[in-house]
Amino acid sequence: VTVLTTAKVGTGLTAVVPIEGVLVPLAVTGLVLGWRRRRARGALAAAALLFTLVQTVALVAAPARTVVPYIYPGAARGTGGRELSDGQVRAAVAAARRCPPRVPYSGVPFLAFIAHRPVPAGQPDGFLPPHSSSLRAVKAQILADTPRCP
C-alpha cells in the first residue's frame, strides 16, 4: 500500500517522495504481521517492501536518472526527463528575474520559486484551480491577477 502513495505523476509533489521512506517502519510492521499469519502474504509484503526501498534508494542516490513516477518539476508529462538543462534553467531564472518588481511570473512555478518571483494570486498550482469546481474562487483570483510576466 505504501508503494501506491509514491505515484504523483504530473505534479511537483515528487519532491516529497524521499520523505515517504518514513513509511518503512509501517511497512515492516505489516510484513511481520503478515508473515506470522500466512507466509505467502508475508513474502508478498517483503517483495513490496524491498521494491519500495530500492526505489527510494535509487531516487536519492541518482536523481538525474529518475523516471516515472519520479519526474522532475517542469518535465514533459510522463517522460521522466527534464525539459531544461541546468544552463537553460539558469537562463530562464535570469529572464524571470528581469520581470518588473511585484509583477507575477506566469511561467513554470519552479522557475518562479528559484527566481524569487511571485506567481499569479500566490497560487503555484496551475493545474488544480482550472479543473476543480471547489477552487473557482482561486481560479478567478489567478485570472484577475494582471499584468503578468512573461
Side-chain angles (χ1 to χ4, degrees), residues 9 14 23 25 27 29 35 40 42 44 55 72 74 91 98 106 109 118 120-121 132:
V9 179
T14 55
L23 294 175
T29 302
W35 190 267
L44 183 60
Q55 283 191 323
Y72 289 95
R98 288 192 292 272
S106 62
S132 171

Side-chain angles (χ1 to χ4, degrees), residues 19 26 29 33 37-38 44 64 70 103 109 112 118 127 141 145 147:
I19 297 168
L26 177 64
T29 302
L33 293 175
R37 296 198 77 178
R38 293 203 172 162
L44 183 60
Y70 308 110
V103 172
F127 178 78
Q141 290 172 344
D145 199 356

